[in-house]
Amino acid sequence: MPMDFPVHLQKRIEICEEISYNKVDFPQYLNENPGKERCMLFNSYIFIFLFFPLALIGYYGFHRAGRHKTALAFLTGMSFWFYGYDNIGYLLILLISILINYSISILLKKAAAKGVRLLFLWLGIVFNIGILFYFKYYDFFIENINFLWQASFPPLGLLLPLGISFYTFQQLSYVIDSYRGECKGYRFLEYAAYVSFFPQLIAGPIVYHSELIPQFRDPQNQKPNYENLSRGIYAFALGLAKKVLLADTFSKIVSVGYGNITSLNTPSAFLVMVCYSLQIYFDFSGYCDMAYGMGYMLNIKLPINFNSPYKAQSIGGFWDRWHMTLTRFFTRYVYIPLGGNRRGKARTCLNVFVVFLVSGLWHGANWTFILWGAIHGALSVLERLTRITELKIPKFVKTGVTFLLATFAWSLFRANSTSDALALWDQLFHGGFGAVYPPITEKCQDLIEVSFLYRAGLGSVISSFPWLPPVFFALASLAGCFFLKNTQEKTNSLKLTNQKLMAVVLLMLWSIMSLSEISEFLYFNF
């Protein structure tokens, strides 16, 4: 490679070579190699200090000048920049998807004959499911065909375009609603802005056209609202802190644990499983908070997608709180068309189980995700059949059992293979008792917060009990999940006092100073 070849391009080529030739699992590779992002991240300097301020100023500036279409075009263009920042190929796929889906919706609007409309509907469904299958599931399908029939069909080795599951489902809902006659006469620019709106483009929430486009049109939303700005900054700061200070810290423990499963004893395996539950909780919660906050700053109220799911008292209640817009999508477009609860108890239970299987497959092309969905489906069906949630059991017991069941399932979700998950469960039940796996405690010693405790005079205590930092960190975070109000509740009742303003500023500074190792949000990979 020439010596004058741009360093950043050289690094990207090296990353691709490592992934292609060494069969590196890409989501795991990103999790263990922070800084190798595939897009512009909310938790990055360029986004916080350049992109988003520019998006705010330009959007409101054009509206102030009376150029409302230009303002929407500017916002759409910024969303395209955000999505194609690191890979122009991703943007091309998004643009093609937008053009074809909008064209199908126009054809549905103009067609009069029912048969023709049905043909266009299925064309839209096949296109969207097809593009998702091609990029996300083709290799998984080929690998299983090769395994079952001893064939040798070559995989494509495609990297999954960011957010394709989210914007494909969003457009699929638009095509179906167009067939039902529920879509108004939206202009192409409005549709493109709806699909590509950057705060929710890559990891949700999955928004319906009726929730977003009318807000773009509302004249009251076209000028700065300082109350919304303050709420948005507050939510963004909390979300950034959850991602950078909590989720990314737990990821260090999780990476060590899943990288050395057979070395874990029972306490270490349990700690790793709990830490992953907390990692994915604060990672997704942080993303949702930041998306919600940015929407507020742009006078766009996004639907709530995360509502303290670990406070749930049942698996069904968990899914009423976790990724809420995905749950409602499957309810509206899968569960109800299958018959919902209108065809007897047995059919209802089957429909519930099918929805969870589809949800597991939606999360990833791996048997671990399918089995994860099956576990949640089986537990949900069991709750319906036994009505165990109606028993007079203390709420804290129900909440604790639900959390443990979710945590057990999450361990399968995180594992690279079913064999890894089985190995972890074996260590959990047969690993024996003893000290926490030393590399886990050593990883915690590198944290800035632990260094601060050493300087505060607690070094001798930590040295004597090295398991204290990770265990205390996990317990304190769990207490926050169970007992504190969530960001939406805090934002809706926000009264920005000087003390809260100072706390937000300090939290932002602390988070920004911790951005040296930038990592993607976990749901970017789904």
Side-chain angles (χ1 to χ4, degrees):
M1 190 174 292
M3 293 299 294
D4 59 347
F5 198 77
V7 174
H8 70 285
L9 291 179
Q10 181 176 334
K11 287 183 178 179
R12 295 193 193 286
I13 290 174
E14 290 171 355
I15 293 169
C16 291
E17 289 175 346
E18 185 173 348
I19 292 167
S20 300
Y21 299 127
N22 297 328
K23 308 297 183 184
V24 174
D25 180 77
F26 199 54
Q28 179 192 7
Y29 181 83
L30 286 170
N31 190 59
E32 297 176 355
N33 294 271
K36 296 176 175 59
E37 67 277 4
R38 294 174 288 161
C39 68
M40 188 186 301
L41 304 174
F42 295 169
N43 53 317
S44 64
Y45 295 116
I46 187 172
F47 184 89
I48 294 171
F49 293 113
L50 175 63
F51 177 88
F52 191 62
L54 183 61
L56 277 177
I57 294 169
Y59 181 64
Y60 286 125
F62 282 118
H63 275 308
R64 184 177 178 81
R67 303 180 65 177
H68 303 300
K69 289 184 180 179
T70 305
L72 193 58
F74 175 80
L75 183 63
T76 306
M78 293 295 288
S79 297
F80 289 157
W81 175 27
F82 170 82
Y83 189 72
Y85 169 73
D86 203 56
N87 191 324
I88 196 69
Y90 292 162
L91 178 59
L92 182 62
I93 295 168
L94 174 63
L95 290 173
I96 292 172
S97 180
I98 288 174
L99 286 169
I100 291 178
N101 277 289
Y102 186 74
S103 298
I104 291 172
S105 71
I106 294 298
L107 292 172
L108 281 167
K109 184 180 178 181
K110 292 183 177 181
K114 184 178 180 180
V116 176
R117 286 173 54 79
L118 193 61
L119 176 64
F120 288 140
L121 170 65
W122 279 106
L123 178 64
I125 293 173
V126 169
F127 169 74
N128 284 289
I129 299 300
I131 197 171
L132 197 57
F133 174 84
Y134 177 74
F135 284 104
K136 192 168 183 176
Y137 303 108
Y138 179 84
D139 282 0
F140 176 67
F141 179 77
I142 289 298
E143 288 170 3
N144 283 277
I145 290 294
N146 289 342
F147 176 78
L148 291 173
W149 281 278
Q150 300 300 306
S152 56
F153 296 108
L156 297 176
L158 298 172
L159 294 182
L160 181 66
L162 290 170
I164 190 169
S165 298
F166 291 92
Y167 69 70
T168 298
F169 270 25
Q170 198 155 302
Q171 295 190 93
L172 185 59
S173 73
Y174 187 84
V175 168
I176 295 172
D177 288 354
S178 294
Y179 172 78
R180 295 172 174 173
E182 297 173 4
C183 293
K184 299 179 181 179
Y186 301 131
R187 297 185 296 270
F188 176 73
L189 178 58
E190 293 175 322
Y191 178 77
Y194 152 68
V195 174
S196 65
F197 188 50
F198 68 86
Q200 50 81 220
L201 172 61
I202 296 179
I206 299 172
V207 183
Y208 298 147
H209 55 91
S210 58
E211 294 174 318
L212 200 56
I213 296 179
Q215 293 192 73
F216 288 143
R217 292 178 168 183
D218 190 347
Q220 295 298 317
N221 293 339
Q222 295 171 358
K223 54 186 177 182
N225 181 313
Y226 294 102
E227 183 177 348
N228 283 346
L229 281 171
S230 63
R231 288 179 174 177
I233 293 170
Y234 181 73
F236 186 90
L238 291 180
L240 182 63
K242 287 180 182 179
K243 168 60 178 170
V244 176
L245 304 179
L246 299 178
D248 287 353
T249 300
F250 283 118
S251 73
K252 294 178 173 63
I253 298 173
V254 172
S255 294
V256 171
Y258 274 88
N260 303 274
I261 291 175
T262 55
S263 300
L264 303 177
N265 57 18
T266 294
S268 301
F270 183 70
L271 177 63
V272 168
M273 291 169 66
V274 170
C275 284
Y276 183 68
S277 286
L278 292 168
Q279 179 194 351
I280 196 168
Y281 180 97
F282 288 113
D283 191 279
F284 191 44
S285 176
Y287 180 92
C288 292
D289 290 350
M290 296 168 81
Y292 194 70
M294 285 184 287
Y296 251 124
M297 285 186 265
L298 290 163
N299 288 331
I300 301 295
K301 191 167 184 180
L302 295 172
I304 295 175
N305 203 29
F306 196 91
N307 184 22
S308 302
Y310 289 164
K311 293 179 182 178
Q313 297 174 32
S314 65
I315 292 298
F318 173 85
W319 280 102
D320 288 337
R321 293 167 172 264
W322 179 281
H323 211 329
M324 297 158 67
T325 58
L326 179 66
T327 301
R328 71 172 183 176
F329 178 92
F330 282 128
T331 300
R332 181 173 179 175
Y333 297 107
V334 179
Y335 178 70
I336 292 176
L338 285 174
N341 59 0
R342 304 186 305 273
R343 299 183 181 179
K345 183 179 290 187
R347 182 60 180 270
T348 299
C349 291
L350 177 63
N351 292 342
V352 169
F353 190 76
V354 168
V355 165
F356 276 103
L357 277 182
V358 174
S359 175
L361 186 61
W362 177 88
H363 278 85
N366 193 315
W367 282 106
T368 55
F369 294 111
I370 296 172
L371 292 174
W372 170 79
I375 289 173
H376 277 275
L379 291 172
S380 296
V381 169
L382 184 63
E383 288 177 353
R384 285 175 175 266
L385 291 176
T386 62
R387 295 186 177 181
I388 193 170
T389 57
E390 299 176 10
L391 296 178
K392 293 183 179 180
I393 300 173
K395 291 182 179 180
F396 76 90
V397 174
K398 291 182 180 179
T399 301
V401 170
T402 301
F403 172 76
L404 290 175
L405 290 172
T407 294
F408 187 81
W410 280 135
S411 64
L412 185 63
F413 189 91
R414 170 59 175 82
N416 295 320
S417 64
T418 52
S419 59
D420 277 359
L422 291 172
L424 180 62
W425 296 342
D426 185 61
Q427 296 304 116
L428 176 67
F429 295 111
H430 305 105
F433 291 87
V436 173
Y437 184 49
I440 291 177
T441 57
E442 291 166 7
K443 181 65 69 173
C444 291
Q445 302 296 317
D446 299 334
L447 298 175
I448 297 174
E449 294 79 5
V450 175
S451 299
F452 176 80
L453 293 177
Y454 268 96
R455 293 176 182 175
L458 297 175
S460 59
V461 177
I462 295 174
S463 298
S464 301
F465 305 98
W467 52 268
L468 268 178
V471 171
F472 178 79
F473 186 52
L475 288 175
S477 300
L478 277 174
C481 295
F482 291 137
F483 301 113
L484 296 181
K485 289 183 178 180
N486 59 48
T487 299
Q488 286 76 24
E489 291 171 325
K490 293 178 181 179
T491 303
N492 291 338
S493 60
L494 178 65
K495 293 182 180 179
L496 200 59
T497 61
N498 291 334
Q499 291 82 359
K500 284 187 179 179
L501 179 61
M502 182 61 67
V504 168
V505 171
L506 291 175
L507 202 57
M508 283 289 291
L509 289 174
W510 188 6
S511 300
I512 289 170
M513 287 189 297
S514 301
L515 288 179
S516 57
E517 292 186 349
I518 299 171
S519 66
E520 282 191 349
F521 291 87
L522 295 177
Y523 262 77
F524 280 18
N525 298 306
F526 308 138

